[in-house]
Amino acid sequence: MTTPNFVTEPEGQVPVVASSDLVVVGGGPAGISAAVAAARNGLSVTLLERYPYLGGLASGGMVLVLDDMCDGPEVTVRGLCSEIIDRMTRMDLCVTPPESDWISDSAKFRQWARWGVYNFHSHQKPQPVCYASAFDPDGFKRAANDMVAEAGVTLRLHSWFSRPIVEDGTIKGVICETKSGRQAVLGKVVIDATGDLDVAAAAGSPHTTGSFIVTTVFRLGGIDTEEAERFEYEEPEAFSALDREAKRIMGGSWERWWLKTPLPGIVWCNCPHMAGFDGLSVEHLTNADFKGRQRIAELISFIRAKMPGFQNAFVVDVAPQIGVRQSRLLEGEYVLTKEDVATRRHFADSVARGRDYYYPYRTLLPKGVSQLLVAGRHYSSTAAAQRISREIPPCMAMGEATGVAAALSIQAGVTVDKVDVRKVQDMLRAQGADPGDRPSANATLQMAAAE
């Protein structure tokens, strides 16, 4: 029997299960921020998420440090990102160094380095401790749940995006796959916060594809972190040899392959890093999961036998989501370049900031489809630019900006591409966010040189 290349799907009707002003597809950090910001500004909002929890790569992917939130002593990402940090802190599930420790100092660095809350971009030695937060994944889920519920967002988990509903070039909603069958959710504006540009790509918006390392993130329990740190600093030669071997077994990791978490004896391992996998391929993602777990098992055997502080190590969990960093990238009204990021170029229509870079509103606007916005790591940029400007806090800032833009669009009776960006900036700042409308001195100089 010959296997056919295609099958024909039967046409049929799809029930409409929700209709609101705004539909946000993707309940990761950007989607949470978009939904909450829009709802707080008066819109009815439906938030769709394929997994049984909110938080995306922050919780399900267990990317357990929030960074790229400051430029030296200047805090550049505020708003809803700061709010979720505050909520997790009140749960005792988030650790942030006090402002008095944001310095380059050997003692402070030793105190905070294994939390991952230092400026690893800095060329100072030691690298300065900075405004960054180490958090627990369940804390992020709980805080996100509270924010969404309090804002009055209609949340639909277990809803996997299938296709957009587009009529005459305008998006009208989306169709999801669920355990109850296919379901339609309608809205006046749709925000694609999927991370992989699923909605905009399916709607026909121009985009590119790229790939970067993927990671099967995991956590270890039973760790004596005091002994592990003592060994690192008091026996540096022996530590370096074992650390190199651990990294070789994993095949790739950041400088510090394990970091502390708010839970005693539990450490976070943002590794192994694996190249050559396509984040859009079922086969590649399946293989990445298998390969990552194999490397984790090999690492456990090694560190139990050799690494002080890790003799009783055990796997607490492996992140349910593969850590995909790059897949589809929007080609929107403006494509941010690596030069834009590296030179701190400022834009008059900036609506969000990262560490020392700015996102113009145009990078969140797809071409070819009306009433659609994007927020998250799939924003309009080159692959090289995205690799250095895609951290979770600035993605939350993008989400907050699109939520506000959607609210202003509907309230003013204009399409999202015609929104008054100055009003978006003013509303964001009034809500405690930093849209980047007031550039730093460095950014002003770059703007003058570039334009």
Side-chain angles (χ1 to χ4, degrees), residues 82-111:
S82 293
E83 179 177 332
I84 205 166
I85 289 171
D86 291 342
R87 287 174 179 259
M88 291 190 293
T89 300
R90 291 195 294 271
M91 298 175 187
D92 292 326
L93 293 174
C94 185
V95 174
T96 307
E99 188 172 354
S100 59
D101 286 0
W102 300 354
I103 57 174
S104 174
D105 175 85
S106 296
K108 294 298 182 185
F109 184 79
R110 176 169 175 171
Q111 177 184 350

Side-chain angles (χ1 to χ4, degrees), residues 361-375:
Y361 184 60
R362 290 164 291 160
T363 61
L364 312 180
L365 280 173
K367 294 179 180 179
V369 183
S370 182
Q371 293 303 84
L372 178 62
L373 291 164
V374 305

Side-chain angles (χ1 to χ4, degrees), residues 160-210:
W160 190 297
F161 167 78
S162 176
R163 70 173 182 84
I165 303 169
V166 180
E167 298 176 5
D168 299 323
T170 298
I171 194 164
K172 300 290 186 178
V174 299
I175 292 175
C176 292
E177 300 288 349
T178 77
K179 289 290 187 179
S180 300
R182 291 161 68 81
Q183 297 179 338
V185 179
L186 306 182
K188 298 174 184 176
V189 177
V190 174
I191 295 176
D192 181 344
T194 61
D196 294 309
L197 202 73
D198 294 336
V199 180
S205 297
H207 62 280
T208 60
T209 57

Side-chain angles (χ1 to χ4, degrees), residues 406-419:
L408 288 175
S409 162
I410 290 174
Q411 291 161 7
V414 299
T415 54
V416 293
D417 59 317
K418 301 298 183 184
V419 166

Side-chain angles (χ1 to χ4, degrees), residues 19-24 34-46 148 151-154 187-191 371 373 402-413 416 427:
S19 180
S20 55
D21 294 324
L22 173 66
V23 177
V24 180
V36 170
R40 288 182 180 178
N41 282 288
L43 295 193
S44 59
V45 180
T46 303
V148 165
V153 173
T154 299
K188 298 174 184 176
V189 177
V190 174
I191 295 176
Q371 293 303 84
L373 291 164
T402 57
V404 166
L408 288 175
S409 162
I410 290 174
Q411 291 161 7
V416 293
M427 185 175 288

